[in-house]
Amino acid sequence: MSGIASAMRPLSRDCDAVTVPNGEKVVLSEGDKVRVVQELGGSFTVKTDYGNLMRVDGMDADALGRELPKELADKIARDAERAKGPFSMEYVEEALQEVYDPEIPVSIVELGLVYRVEEVILDDGRRRIEIDMTMTAPGCGMGDVLTGDAKKATEAVPGVDEAEVQLVFSPPWGAHMMSDAVKLELGLL
């Protein structure tokens, strides 16, 4: 349900949220009215009665009167199946493709925010994935949120013991770093 706004509905219970674009963690209270404006990557972007945008984790779908997002349910099933086989960097890349900017319905990979993804085998045999990524603007308040999302998505990949995500600003991000598909979708081609 990407991009289709729902009706304003009261929350059935308290749930954690993150303000967009500031990235501040807040708690939305039971009874607060919200409208789902975007559902991507297993999370929801909602608009409150006061017009604020908030991001709500897909695991809190019930508070919004929604089902667990299909993307999230599919990911849980896929990860369970992958856990039976060998590790693959392809799984890490797919996980990062499922991390979306809450304001623009585009993955951080397609936006060109991910600069480096590297597998490192530690001395104790554990696997760490190191990621360098950036934001569209140095002052973006969603930096901690999106790097946290990338870390969480990567650490959920079977065979990954830890992820280290570093926010970098060199080279500076530019619209030329977006995939052609995203440029076309956003009317930049």
Side-chain angles (χ1 to χ4, degrees), residues 29-131:
S29 299
E30 178 180 349
D32 286 352
K33 291 185 179 177
V34 299
R35 173 180 294 122
V36 174
V37 294
Q38 178 175 291
E39 178 183 323
L40 283 170
S43 67
F44 300 94
T45 301
V46 300
K47 190 174 225 177
T48 68
D49 252 354
Y50 303 104
N52 304 34
L53 288 179
M54 307 277 179
R55 196 186 63 173
V56 176
D57 189 271
M59 296 303 285
D60 289 318
D62 64 300
L64 301 170
R66 297 293 193 102
E67 297 290 322
L68 189 69
K70 181 176 179 353
E71 287 178 342
L72 186 54
D74 290 349
K75 180 183 180 339
I76 291 167
R78 189 173 54 246
D79 286 350
E81 188 60 33
R82 287 178 176 168
K84 299 174 187 174
F87 168 78
S88 171
M89 279 297 286
E90 182 179 313
Y91 300 158
V92 173
E93 293 163 11
E94 289 172 3
L96 290 172
Q97 282 279 7
E98 295 173 355
V99 177
Y100 287 85
D101 183 296
E103 295 177 284
I104 309 167
V106 176
S107 84
I108 61 173
V109 173
E110 295 297 315
L111 274 175
L113 300 180
V114 178
Y115 288 172
R116 178 181 72 95
V117 180
E118 188 173 308
E119 175 186 9
V120 177
I121 303 299
L122 303 173
D123 291 339
D124 61 2
R126 294 170 14 100
R127 178 179 286 112
R128 177 174 64 214
I129 304 298
E130 295 179 354
I131 301 167

